[in-house]
Amino acid sequence: NAGVTQTPKFRVLKTGQSMTLLCAQDMNHEYMYWYRQDPGMGLRLIHYSVGEGTTAKGEVPDGYNVSRLKKQNFLLGLESAAPSQTSVYFCASRGGTGPGYTFGSGTRLTVV
Amino acid sequence: QQQVKQSPQSLIVQKGGISIINCAYENTAFDYFPWYQQFPGKGPALLIAIRPDVSEKKEGRFTISFNKSAKQFSLHIMDSQPGDSATYFCAASIGGTSYGKLTFGQGTILTVHP
C-alpha cells in the first residue's frame, strides 16, 4: 500500500531544460492534483485532473503541462525550466467519496 | 489572490502549552475546512477537518473552532508536545463541481520546546 509515489525526489535543472515529474497512485482515486510549495505562500494548485484523459488549469498553470493517460498516473511537465520554477512539487489524489487528499512525499526541483 | 489567510507564520510554544493557529477566508462558498500537518521532507497529511454546520470539532488534543459569521477558523493544540513540531496548513474547498480543489493558507511553522 504505497499510496501516492512521486519520482524523482530531487532534481537540478539548467534554465531552458525540460523534465517530467511522475505521480503514481494505487488507490484507484479519480481526482489528482499537482501543487507547488514555496516559503510563505503555502501550496498553490498548478493543474488537476478529474479522471483519466482529463486535465484542467489551477491557480498557477503557466510554464507547466500535464497529462493523465492512465487513471493511476499524473505527469507534470516543464518544457523550458526557469529559475522561478524552483520549488517543491507535491502530487495529491482524492477518491470520489471523501474530500481528504493523500499527498506524495514531494519532488524538490532546483533550476539554476 | 490569497483567499485563505493564515497566522502566525511561526509559533514557539513550551511543552504542555496551547498552540493556536488562525485562518480567515473570503469566499462564503467554501464548505470544507481541513488542517494539514507536514513534517520536514514529507507531504502534508490530513489532521482534522470541519464543515460549516458545526462550530467546533475535537479529535484528541486537536480542536478546530469555526466562526461562520466572522469567516474565521482556528486550530488549537492542547498539551503541545515536541512531536507536534511541524508546519501546519489550513485549507478550504468548495464541494460540487469545484472537484474538491483545496485553497491553502500560507502555513505556520510550529516549534514546541521540551
Side-chain angles (χ1 to χ4, degrees):
Chain A
N1 50 343
V4 177
T5 302
Q6 290 184 234
T7 53
K9 295 189 183 302
F10 302 94
R11 185 73 185 268
V12 178
L13 283 181
K14 293 182 178 180
T15 298
Q17 286 185 320
S18 64
M19 77 162 294
T20 300
L21 283 67
L22 173 64
C23 176
Q25 53 97 0
D26 60 4
M27 298 169 286
N28 202 35
H29 283 172
E30 287 294 332
Y31 307 114
M32 297 187 74
Y33 312 84
W34 275 107
Y35 283 84
R36 61 177 288 171
Q37 181 178 5
D38 302 290
M41 304 190 73
L43 290 92
R44 292 179 293 167
L45 182 63
I46 305 171
H47 286 280
Y48 65 101
S49 167
V50 301
E52 180 178 311
T54 76
T55 63
K57 294 180 180 180
E59 180 186 355
V60 288
D62 293 343
Y64 305 95
N65 57 77
V66 287
S67 64
R68 184 125 180 247
L69 299 179
K70 294 182 178 180
K71 186 177 183 179
Q72 64 267 34
N73 295 335
F74 194 28
L75 278 63
L76 177 71
L78 287 73
E79 291 185 347
S80 180
S84 61
Q85 293 177 305
T86 293
S87 186
V88 181
Y89 292 86
F90 286 100
C91 175
S93 70
R94 182 176 75 89
T97 55
Y101 281 20
T102 300
F103 278 89
S105 57
T107 296
R108 183 173 294 276
L109 175 65
T110 302
V111 183
V112 297
Chain B
Q1 180 183 359
Q2 189 68 39
Q3 294 192 56
V4 179
K5 295 184 178 181
Q6 183 174 345
S7 63
Q9 276 192 314
S10 62
L11 180 61
I12 299 174
V13 174
Q14 292 297 122
K15 178 182 176 181
I18 302 174
S19 304
I20 302 175
I21 305 171
N22 301 298
C23 284
Y25 63 96
E26 294 293 327
N27 191 343
T28 56
F30 286 141
D31 61 1
Y32 173 70
F33 301 88
W35 284 89
Y36 282 80
Q37 180 188 54
Q38 183 183 31
F39 293 106
K42 304 292 186 182
L46 180 64
L47 184 63
I48 187 173
I50 198 169
R51 293 200 182 270
D53 53 344
V54 297
S55 60
E56 185 175 283
K57 182 174 182 180
K58 184 176 181 179
E59 291 184 0
R61 296 185 293 108
F62 300 90
T63 300
I64 299 179
S65 297
F66 187 82
N67 186 329
K68 189 174 182 178
S69 61
K71 294 187 286 186
Q72 295 175 349
F73 58 111
S74 60
L75 176 69
H76 295 237
I77 306 175
M78 309 300 289
D79 187 27
S80 299
Q81 299 296 312
D84 297 330
S85 297
T87 300
Y88 292 81
F89 293 97
C90 62
S93 70
I94 306 170
T97 58
S98 74
Y99 304 113
K101 294 176 292 180
L102 284 173
T103 299
F104 286 86
Q106 298 93 325
T108 296
I109 301 172
L110 171 65
T111 303
V112 181
H113 285 314

